[in-house]
Amino acid sequence: MNHPVFFQPADGWVGDLIPFQKDGEFWLFYLHEIRSDPKPGTSWNLVTTKDLIQFQDHGVSLAHGTVDDLDFNAYTGSIAVDETGVHHLFYTGHNPWNLGADGAPLQLVMHATSTDGMKTWTKHPELTFGAPEGYETGDWRDPFVFRDEEAGQWRMLLAARHAEGPERRRGVIAQCVSSDLMKWEHTEPFWDPRRYITHECPDVFAWGDWWYMVYSEFSESFTTRYRMAKSPNGPWTVPDLDSIDGRAFYASKSAERDGRRFFFGWIASKEDARDDGPWQWAGTMSVLEARQNADGTLAFSFPDELVESFWKQVPAQLDRELPATLTVPDGYEAILTRNNVPRQFYAKAVLQISAGTTECGLLLRSSADGDRSYIIRLEPKRGRMVFDRWPRNIIGDAQWHVSGDVPFDIELERPCELGAGEHTLEVVVDGDLCVAVLDRQVALSTRIYDLTDGLLGVFAGEGAATVTELEIRERTP
């Protein structure tokens, strides 16, 4: 059996990640989700990696409390190191039976420290604090702490909500400041757009001349976005392509090593492990690398280490030689491999897309005639990459029972630049997980449950596309 590409603990699922880089190794703390009834509390577990390929699960790092404690659930937070080398862990304490004045379960900022290099943690319940007046007590979570050297202070950002205002537009990134990481004073909001329900898992970092603010939009989109500024005080601007990935990749936070920035998030599972199932909270960990474009905007793609781990060539065995041109001015054409691709593989297709083309892309786990498959579809006229499957859904035995009015898997749409010319589409598939990357700029992650094997294909519709390269690689056990 091949080594899995994406990390998931044997006894549960990966929730929000809290990445920390220590001596060249990534310490990836994560909320350990166990789906059972009754539901146990949530702890911080730890997985480490040096190469982003092999992961060592260390189990529980910060244990959750009892049913009588404020931290029955130890939810998302961050870690900071003071000048003496002590590690300070800030996290969200939550107990569903501990209700605030408004009847909602309280969310509280809690504190633990480690003096042995994060091997053990000592909790400090006396340092616990909740939302001040003017904020909802049930939304005061995900404390992110960073050092503002220019101001000479520590800043803590929190996913919060104003107590008043339109119900779905009260979201705010609240802020506290401290000189010693122990006493915190509430101050003006860090970001207050009055647009979303809330902004989960805030993350802020500097890179070159730019500052970046990352948050997960808890609203209609459920995606992780970023903003840019020349200062941690803003003003924050919206890049044209402002999201990290699509609906399935959530709550990603970042860590830096050797001048490179990596985003760690989870690809959500689906209920009943089926394509039509609703998205669930938590899933399997996935890593994307951010690269900084010349204008400061961020591009997202696979880390080189991940791509290079697929080293064994798999013959594509197409029914024609490359380069192969699919010319269909008002129709559709696909070429497919003769043999099924592995359950775990990396594929790269280089396409020359002609002006005016409606669609082209890759078929995954396709039937021999190309009529049943998953689809990574590039749509130049609409400037987007989408994930699709065909048939999308069949609820009866007649043609009109196919959900043809649904243009693609809703929520799996990524805006991108698709001008005429060369474009590179990369895909990593491992079991029921699939991540596609376009031009090392735009990432799209999803689950693929129902079709378990099949062929790989390239297609074009209403236009022309030339396949100049098609590469398939796998790992070996």
Side-chain angles (χ1 to χ4, degrees):
M1 182 178 178
N2 291 348
H3 190 76
V5 176
F6 306 93
F7 169 77
Q8 184 178 322
D11 59 346
W13 302 85
V14 175
D16 300 353
L17 283 128
I18 303 95
F20 188 89
Q21 191 263 122
K22 177 183 177 184
D23 300 327
E25 183 176 42
F26 290 110
W27 289 47
L28 307 174
F29 300 90
Y30 66 94
L31 304 191
H32 186 216
E33 166 76 348
I34 299 175
R35 295 171 184 165
S36 63
D37 189 15
K39 191 174 178 61
T42 301
S43 65
W44 280 32
N45 281 26
L46 171 66
V47 59
T48 57
T49 181
K50 295 180 179 178
D51 58 9
L52 300 170
I53 299 169
Q54 302 176 79
F55 298 90
Q56 182 178 0
D57 193 0
H58 301 270
V60 175
S61 178
L62 179 77
H64 66 81
T66 70
V67 293
D68 298 318
D69 294 323
L70 298 176
D71 61 351
F72 174 75
N73 292 307
Y75 285 152
T76 309
S78 61
I79 295 172
V81 187
D82 67 22
E83 65 276 3
T84 69
V86 174
H87 290 81
H88 294 255
L89 186 157
F90 299 91
Y91 67 105
T92 306
H94 172 271
N95 187 317
W97 302 283
N98 181 34
L99 306 181
D102 57 4
L106 287 174
Q107 291 185 349
L108 305 165
V109 173
M110 304 190 75
H111 193 164
T113 56
S114 175
T115 57
D116 60 3
M118 302 191 293
K119 296 177 183 177
T120 59
W121 296 99
T122 300
K123 295 181 179 180
H124 301 283
E126 71 279 5
L127 299 177
T128 300
F129 66 94
E133 186 177 355
Y135 291 91
E136 293 185 1
T137 61
D139 283 280
W140 187 252
R141 62 178 177 275
D142 307 343
F144 176 78
V145 173
F146 72 101
R147 180 70 179 173
D148 185 339
E149 294 293 351
E150 184 174 339
Q153 63 184 2
W154 295 94
R155 301 171 72 167
M156 177 188 289
L157 313 184
L158 295 126
R161 279 171 53 80
H162 291 292
E164 297 181 352
E167 178 66 24
R168 286 178 290 278
R169 295 204 303 271
R170 294 184 193 172
V172 56
I173 295 182
Q175 182 175 209
C176 299
V177 295
S178 174
S179 61
D180 60 3
L181 292 172
M182 303 298 284
K183 292 183 179 179
W184 292 91
E185 178 183 353
H186 174 253
T187 185
E188 71 282 349
F190 184 80
W191 190 51
D192 192 8
R194 295 281 182 162
R195 182 171 182 184
Y196 305 117
I197 294 173
T198 192
H199 320 91
E200 299 189 299
C201 302
D203 182 12
V204 169
F205 60 88
W207 192 354
D209 296 331
W210 290 95
W211 282 83
Y212 299 89
M213 172 181 61
V214 180
Y215 64 92
S216 289
E217 178 189 328
F218 185 60
S219 191
E220 72 279 359
S221 294
F222 290 98
T223 193
T224 306
R225 301 188 185 277
Y226 78 96
R227 299 291 183 260
M228 305 166 56
K230 288 293 187 176
S231 159
N233 300 315
W236 299 98
T237 60
V238 184
D240 288 343
L241 306 178
D242 72 334
S243 50
I244 313 303
D245 199 314
R247 167 65 175 87
F249 182 78
Y250 195 67
S252 64
K253 300 180 74 169
S254 69
E256 180 269 344
R257 183 176 71 183
D258 300 329
R260 300 166 67 191
R261 174 87 32 187
F262 301 91
F263 279 69
F264 302 86
W266 43 268
I267 299 176
S269 58
K270 285 191 167 186
E271 194 172 299
D272 300 325
R274 57 185 176 85
D275 289 341
D276 280 334
W279 294 110
Q280 295 175 301
W281 187 87
T284 308
M285 186 179 74
S286 181
V287 185
L288 295 173
E289 181 170 1
R291 293 177 173 86
Q292 195 175 46
N293 295 318
D295 62 357
T297 59
L298 300 180
F300 296 93
S301 63
F302 302 117
D304 291 339
E305 293 87 339
L306 175 61
V307 174
E308 292 165 2
S309 71
F310 291 86
W311 61 271
K312 184 181 179 182
Q313 293 283 344
V314 177
Q317 297 182 318
L318 293 169
D319 57 9
R320 67 181 79 173
E321 296 294 322
L322 298 182
T325 300
L326 292 78
T327 304
V328 280
D330 60 351
Y332 174 93
E333 184 180 9
I335 55 175
L336 294 113
T337 59
R338 297 189 185 95
N339 297 328
N340 287 0
V341 291
R343 287 269 296 165
Q344 181 191 81
F345 68 91
Y346 163 84
K348 180 175 75 171
V350 180
L351 304 171
Q352 286 283 347
I353 304 176
S354 299
T357 298
T358 297
E359 63 178 17
C360 61
L362 290 177
L363 305 179
L364 306 176
R365 295 183 178 168
S366 174
S367 58
D369 60 3
D371 204 38
R372 184 179 181 88
S373 71
Y374 296 114
I375 306 162
I376 305 295
R377 188 169 62 245
L378 309 180
E379 300 182 349
K381 294 178 180 178
R382 295 184 173 96
R384 68 185 183 188
M385 170 173 61
V386 303
F387 177 82
D388 203 352
R389 53 195 164 96
W390 187 256
R392 294 182 185 113
N393 185 29
I394 299 176
I395 56 176
D397 58 1
Q399 177 65 29
W400 54 88
H401 292 152
V402 177
S403 58
D405 57 335
V406 180
F408 54 88
D409 262 21
I410 301 301
E411 302 174 314
L412 296 179
E413 172 188 15
R414 302 286 287 125
C416 55
E417 297 180 3
L418 283 170
E422 183 176 284
H423 295 276
T424 300
L425 184 55
E426 299 173 274
V427 179
V428 168
V429 171
D430 188 5
D432 59 21
L433 292 146
C434 174
V435 181
V437 170
L438 175 67
D439 293 332
R440 290 275 167 130
Q441 288 283 326
V442 179
L444 175 60
S445 304
T446 189
R447 292 275 177 174
I448 48 175
Y449 290 109
D450 296 355
L451 305 181
T452 57
D453 56 43
L455 309 178
L456 181 75
V458 183
F459 73 94
E462 297 177 355
T466 299
V467 189
T468 59
E469 298 178 37
L470 180 61
E471 182 181 11
I472 306 171
R473 301 203 305 256
E474 65 178 338
R475 294 172 167 181
T476 56

